[in-house]
Amino acid sequence: MTVYFFLQQQVNNREMIKSLREMVEKVLSFKRKRRIAVAWAHDPNTVGAISKAVNEGFAEAIMIGRSAEIVKTCRSQGVDEKAFHIVVADNEADASARAVSLTREGEADVVMKGLVGTDKFLKAIMDRENGIMKPDAVLTYVGALEIPAYHKLLFISDPAVIPFPNLDQKIAMAGYAIEMAARFGVAKPKVALIGASEKMSRHFENSVDYAIMCKMAERGQIKNCIMDGPLDLFLACDKKSIEIKGVPTPVDGDADILLFPSLESCNPFYKGLMLFAQAELAGLIRGTDKPVVLMSRSESELSKYYCIALSCLMA
């Protein structure tokens, strides 16, 4: 039994994706191309990222916007615009609607935000009649962070969509993150419900939600995970802190997923890591029929490239 367990662990370790580059290699192994509809595809980082994905062979690009600007941007980046299919749109809202429409009609597999404002882009995604949001779904964001100082990928939610998630939204966020982690080969991720302290307190409203979620996970209502919280970041991600603080937790300083209590806590967390710790992020909007790539207009070409690869993994 011990030998079998050891061999099974070796198999599981080989299957687990431990870096964003390994994620790309996994996508390449599928040997298929996903069609990416890019709304308002005028910015250099988006053009560079989608060109890299096309050249590597796992994506095809539908670039939507003002054709002259798309061609100008391509040439400024040394990219051959003939590698893309260009669809003309007069403004940001029109470009977003066309990208969503192409996806609804099966002409594209992924919708991606280009230089368009987030509000206009999400309005097209969430349109009741013509959007691609699943009925009664929670729209949220899940990202995979590669941090040089951490020994594996770290999934986070929600840095982009829900300002202050309620209990139902937190449950949905956890479910989406668990689902994404499974695509990376993490069969039973450790989910840390993040707070300023590990202590339950009436001063922190999230404590009650976290207690309910932990009981749900214990009873199998939130499936395929090990969950605990509230936990601070040290207890979630640093084994030495478990010994120092003497706080037993099944997450054991080895979290796969961090679920934050607010956008205002999660967003600065990941941006700080990207700015000061050379982290990279691949993330997607969840709660939609097809993958949606939404990145800040100032995000790096590499992060946008990783988001495209993630969309192809999840499609």
Side-chain angles (χ1 to χ4, degrees), residues 244-263:
I244 294 169
K245 286 194 170 187
V247 178
T249 168
V251 171
D252 195 31
D254 187 43
D256 297 289
I257 296 169
L258 304 183
L259 192 144
F260 285 82
S262 69
L263 187 156

Side-chain angles (χ1 to χ4, degrees), residues 35-39 64 95-104 108-114 121 124-125 132 284-285 288 290-294 311:
R35 294 161 295 178
I36 318 295
V38 185
I64 305 169
S96 299
R98 285 173 181 264
V100 171
S101 177
L102 286 169
T103 307
R104 280 177 58 91
D109 303 298
V110 175
V111 182
M112 180 175 179
K113 174 182 175 291
F121 183 73
I125 297 293
I132 54 172
L284 292 176
I285 293 287
T288 54
K290 297 290 181 69
V292 175
V293 176
L294 185 151
S311 74

